[in-house]
Amino acid sequence: MNNQVLPESEKAMLPFTHREWERRAREKLEIGPYSFISGNAGMGETANSNRAAIKEWKIVPRVFRDVEKRDLSIELLEKKFSTPILLAPIGVQKIMHPEGELASARAAADSRIPFIASTMSSYSMEEIASVMGDAPRWFQLYCSKDKEITKSFIKRAERSGYSAIVITLDSSVMGWRVQDLENNYSPFRLGIGLANYFSDSTFCSKLVKPPAEDFAAAFSIFSKINTSASLTWEDLEFLRENTKLPILLKGIVDPRDAKLALDHGVDGIIVSNHGGRQLDGSIAAIDALPKVCYVIGGKIPVLMDSGIRTGTDVIKALALGASAVLLGRPFAYGLAVAGEEGVKQVIRNLITETEVSLGLSGYHSIKSLDRSLVVK
Ligand SMILES: Cc1cc2nc3c(=O)[nH]c(=O)nc-3n(C[C@H](O)[C@H](O)[C@H](O)COP(=O)(O)O)c2cc1C
Ligand SMILES: CCCCCCC(=O)C(=O)O
């Protein structure tokens, strides 16, 4: 599939619904990778709640309001974007397609949708940046136990044109992912998702031999320093001191944490429960959103992910106060099914459905959306 341009006949046959993308991805992938993407923590209750809660919110459309022209543009961190959609940080994309992040980053760049590159990417952040030209990109950081590595990642992200740092906080340890345990599957053990580490001079300075010559030793060191479970609010100071880029915190669902984030001067937060992959039985992200937005009071942007599948989901999240949403698994399935073209098609479908839903709701712009559009 490398660099493959799909023939028009195949493009026309690409799916429109999330269910069908997922079905085709399942057909295409081995059970290990497929379950890693689709799987959740524990009994999958958080993931189920994400969808159930979005469904519980209902749109109450308005009429006679001139929706001839519809404007999806937003402003975020002092930059203008043509839609309120970003691609969520998703690691290990080579398990979905050989071109992995390079394909999805190109698709995001083509649609001018910000791409958030994961720490656990299967291509390095520089390789990803190199296919994006000047298109918007952010870097998602898992803070390493080794602060020098964290610093090095931040500097590399700055040098390669990433314009914000997203720090994920809901993954101090890996969630209890039963399907991966049953399948005895881990992309990391296969060396996938470690590109940022293996291309890092600070990380490599700790090795006797380069990762290509002694994978076992490199993997063992990676496993020891990968993420830190001892972080506290004090560590934000260290991060702030080490970059002038905007910092967003991902994985906030409690309004008290939102308030702390605000008090600590972060530039944005992302309400997320990691799509239900981390803590099972936690609050649905969309249900956490209104209270978080209330305490933030519009002072910094509040983004949201976990369960966004359709244009109406986007509209609901924005009406409940989100400044923008992150698209997760839908684009991962698009990538698995048809590489770059699949991701482009998933994005196109979502943007078009969002625009149609905005108009049908009786609103002409994202800016004009308000809380009264949705009820439970
Ligand atoms: C396969 C996979 C890998 C992910 N990797 C990361 C990651 O490296 N960093 C991160 O912050 N979130 C990661 N996420 C979580 C997403 O950023 C996002 O929060 C989640 O996919 C939202 O849920 P949804 O896909 O059900 O909408 C990952 C999600 C998936 C499905
Ligand atoms: C210790 C957390 C590692 C997570 C790896 C990638 C990820 O975020 C995922 O959801 O999978």
Side-chain angles (χ1 to χ4, degrees):
M1 269 279 224
N2 276 4
N3 253 336
Q4 184 181 339
V5 177
L6 289 181
E8 286 302 319
S9 56
E10 255 189 68
K11 264 195 216 174
M13 283 157 43
L14 290 176
F16 288 97
T17 65
H18 178 73
R19 185 173 300 175
E20 181 60 11
W21 282 110
E22 177 167 3
R23 193 191 65 75
R24 291 211 205 165
R26 183 179 206 150
E27 242 172 39
K28 199 142 188 174
L29 298 173
E30 301 284 333
I31 183 73
Y34 169 75
S35 302
F36 184 84
I37 304 162
S38 64
N40 298 300
M43 306 270 286
E45 284 172 5
T46 305
N48 289 340
S49 302
N50 283 337
R51 285 304 305 154
I54 290 176
K55 277 192 207 157
E56 268 179 37
W57 288 100
K58 304 290 177 199
I59 298 174
V60 190
R62 304 292 306 278
V63 295
F64 261 153
R65 285 157 60 102
D66 185 3
V67 291
E68 181 76 30
K69 291 200 187 94
R70 297 173 294 278
D71 176 14
L72 290 189
S73 71
I74 56 157
E75 248 187 57
L76 198 55
L77 302 174
E78 293 173 12
K79 294 203 171 77
K80 200 159 172 150
F81 296 103
S82 52
T83 75
I85 300 161
L86 299 87
L87 292 195
I90 288 201
V92 299
Q93 292 185 29
K94 250 191 201 175
I95 68 171
M96 298 147 208
H97 187 277
E99 289 189 2
E101 292 83 3
L102 303 183
S104 48
R106 278 197 301 257
D110 181 73
S111 324
R112 300 304 291 183
I113 283 198
F115 182 79
I116 311 181
S118 159
T119 290
M120 309 313 297
S121 293
S122 23
Y123 288 90
S124 71
M125 61 182 108
E126 290 83 3
E127 289 172 308
I128 296 169
S130 76
V131 301
M132 293 195 72
D134 66 353
R137 51 185 174 268
W138 297 357
F139 180 69
Q140 176 268 325
L141 180 68
Y142 279 128
C143 293
S144 170
K145 278 196 186 80
D146 184 323
K147 284 192 170 173
E148 290 308 309
I149 291 178
T150 299
K151 255 206 261 188
S152 172
F153 279 9
I154 292 173
K155 289 298 155 218
R156 289 171 60 192
E158 286 177 347
R159 277 199 299 270
S160 39
Y162 292 82
S163 57
I165 305 286
V166 171
I167 300 167
T168 300
L169 297 175
D170 55 20
S171 304
S172 43
V173 290
M174 186 70 111
W176 179 246
R177 300 186 187 173
V178 185
Q179 280 154 299
D180 298 339
L181 294 170
E182 282 173 354
N183 293 330
N184 190 21
Y185 181 79
S186 157
F188 310 112
R189 278 206 315 263
L190 301 172
I192 301 173
L194 310 178
N196 283 320
Y197 283 93
F198 287 7
S199 59
D200 191 84
S201 54
T202 308
F203 176 79
C204 288
S205 70
K206 299 174 192 310
L207 309 175
V208 178
K209 287 183 185 164
E213 286 174 31
D214 190 350
F215 173 75
F219 184 74
S220 156
I221 298 204
F222 157 78
S223 308
K224 287 189 189 111
I225 49 93
N226 176 21
T227 54
S228 169
S230 65
L231 295 178
T232 68
W233 289 100
E234 272 79 70
D235 291 286
L236 257 184
E237 214 165 293
F238 162 78
L239 296 161
R240 188 69 290 168
E241 276 164 12
N242 277 286
T243 184
K244 296 241 169 337
L245 292 179
I247 292 178
L248 295 94
L249 301 184
K250 175 172 183 274
I252 297 227
V253 288
D254 189 311
R256 291 170 297 182
D257 286 335
K259 176 76 172 56
L260 281 165
L262 193 60
D263 294 345
H264 282 81
V266 304
D267 302 281
I269 58 178
I270 304 176
V271 172
S272 168
N273 55 32
H274 216 101
R277 297 167 67 77
Q278 285 299 105
L279 176 66
D280 201 22
S282 81
I283 184 171
I286 199 139
D287 282 344
L289 187 61
K291 280 190 189 160
V292 167
C293 289
Y294 177 77
V295 301
I296 293 298
K299 294 190 185 82
I300 54 171
V302 177
L303 287 72
M304 178 258 174
D305 76 23
S306 298
I308 298 292
R309 301 289 176 264
T310 68
T312 52
D313 298 343
V314 177
I315 296 293
K316 288 177 186 180
L318 298 175
L320 287 166
S323 316
V325 299
L326 273 53
L327 187 66
R329 274 176 272 221
F331 92 80
Y333 294 135
L335 178 62
V337 171
E340 178 180 341
E341 194 48 46
V343 181
K344 280 185 184 163
Q345 176 86 354
V346 167
I347 293 172
R348 270 195 299 265
N349 288 346
L350 186 68
I351 292 177
T352 310
E353 194 192 355
T354 303
E355 197 225 286
V356 166
S357 308
L358 180 73
L360 290 175
S361 298
Y363 288 76
H364 67 276
S365 70
I366 297 297
K367 292 174 200 100
S368 65
L369 280 174
D370 65 78
R371 177 69 179 73
S372 67
L373 177 61
V374 286
V375 294
K376 244 199 185 188

